[in-house]
Amino acid sequence: MERKLALKVNEKDNVATLFVNGIKDGDEVEVRDKKGASQFVTVIGDIPYGHKVALRDIRKGEAIVKYGEELGAASKDIRFGEYVHVHNLDSMRGRGDL
């Protein structure tokens, strides 16, 4: 059986990056951090390789943090385990209007 892994790079991160193909709604993923600690997350939605999963509930307007950097803000409430991408994330990079 293929191990389903995701990586949390920085302790400030509220999302982790998936490093496995074929993650489907309801799958359990092991999220590891750089210190070797791990937690298990039940995924909400199908998530492609290299995409993000929420590590906790994130409220609308709250920053999405990956690699210790703010990528943008949640455009709606995001549940723990939910797929995080353009459908629920407003990017703050390269917009020119902020």
Side-chain angles (χ1 to χ4, degrees), residues 14-18 44-54 58 62 64 66 71-79 81-92:
N14 57 12
V15 297
T17 303
L18 291 167
I44 300 170
D46 299 347
I47 306 178
Y49 182 95
H51 286 240
K52 299 173 291 299
V53 62
I58 303 169
E62 188 177 346
I64 304 294
K66 180 178 174 182
L71 298 179
S75 59
K76 63 180 188 175
D77 289 342
I78 301 171
R79 295 178 290 161
E82 192 171 347
Y83 179 27
V84 178
H85 197 52
V86 297
H87 64 281
N88 56 11
L89 163 67
D90 283 332
S91 178
M92 305 307 276

Side-chain angles (χ1 to χ4, degrees), residues 15-78:
V15 297
T17 303
L18 291 167
F19 289 99
V20 65
N21 286 311
I23 296 298
K24 301 291 183 195
D25 185 59
D27 284 351
E28 188 174 67
V29 174
E30 181 181 359
V31 178
R32 292 187 183 169
D33 68 19
K34 64 183 179 180
K35 295 179 182 177
S38 64
Q39 73 179 100
F40 289 88
V41 176
T42 300
V43 171
I44 300 170
D46 299 347
I47 306 178
Y49 182 95
H51 286 240
K52 299 173 291 299
V53 62
L55 296 178
R56 61 173 178 77
D57 289 340
I58 303 169
R59 291 191 201 140
K60 181 179 178 178
E62 188 177 346
I64 304 294
V65 181
K66 180 178 174 182
Y67 306 136
E69 300 289 328
E70 291 185 13
L71 298 179
S75 59
K76 63 180 188 175
D77 289 342
I78 301 171

